[in-house]
Amino acid sequence: MRALQLIADRKLELADVPNPPPPGDGEVQIRIKAVALNHLDLWGFRGMAFTKRQLPLVVGAEASGELAAVGPGVSGFKAGDKVVMYGAMTCGHCAACREGRDNLCENVAGIMGFHIDGFARDLINLPARLTIPVPAGVSLRDAACAPIAFGTVEHMLFDNAKLKPGETVLVHAGGSGIGSVAIKMAKSIGCTVITTVGDDAKAQKAKALGADYVINYKTERFEGVTRKLTAKKGVDVVFEHVGGEGFNASLFCLKRGGRLVTCGSTAGPNVTINLMQLFQQQYKIFGSFGASIRNIRDSLSKIATGMTPIIDTEVALADFERGLARLESRQVFGKVVVNF
Ligand SMILES: [Zn+2]
């Protein structure tokens, strides 16, 4: 079978590897149908010095597929079922796992496609508990965007920032995979959405997604425009994943007691925060990473009822690197999906 392996920083190789053995106790065997790309894949591809991993490493962190076989002791699944997969190898028995806080697993073995072998291969055996059924009517292409893009946003907006109907939210990088999902999720509960984009063509697309106000951060200071749009009050929630110099500007966009939730730092991981501002303004800052299996189920339900992902580009497995280049170029609007 095929497996797309990272063999060195920025070097991918499509290898021919043996099929996995029949699924063991509690396992299912999945035929991968689509892998969706995320910024995480780009980090892994470029190489990150602080990441413990062994090369070659099968890439791909977010995926969907069809069950090829079901191992002993697995109930509720049968061959042919469409599924998505949880993107980290959790233990399934620690307190966090038992309580459904999967992304806080105390014994996690790693993120698929980043620390340990991922999904960009024809077949994989996984514990059945890490697979989530795809509702009828949802394509495997769209389902592939549920575990990370949708799941992460669901976790950020609703578990962490506790976004409520009627609130105002600033969504950074509305054209990114998660930004485009955040606009849709916030609008679906009746929020007012302000979003930032890097060019005017993306502004039109963000409006089409339902954003109420779009700011081109290259031509205007987003914090000034946001304060003006909110009559100097600020927004209830900032959806952040950029970091760098924009982080403090994002804090400046919050109303007193506002919440900032972040899951990324594409513009740089180090910032200086004014603690007096933090406590006097009673800001709440949430770090968020990944999602729970419940978040992924809820995401699939949303996709099934019409909140479909925005797909920027579809490529074949052999063109995985072209998909990554599209992400890296920042020209992307929505998700890049690799089809098998
Ligand atoms: Zn665990």
Side-chain angles (χ1 to χ4, degrees), residues 91-92 94 97 105-106:
C91 76
C94 71
C97 280
C105 172
E106 294 159 24

Side-chain angles (χ1 to χ4, degrees), residues 215-234:
I215 304 166
N216 182 337
Y217 66 83
K218 293 209 171 129
T219 56
E220 293 183 288
R221 293 182 72 92
F222 71 83
E223 66 274 34
V225 180
T226 300
R227 292 200 72 82
K228 199 180 286 177
L229 288 170
T230 55
K232 294 191 179 165
K233 275 173 68 183

Side-chain angles (χ1 to χ4, degrees), residues 90-97 102 104-108:
T90 59
C91 76
H93 53 71
C94 71
C97 280
D102 310 86
L104 287 168
C105 172
E106 294 159 24
N107 313 302
V108 66

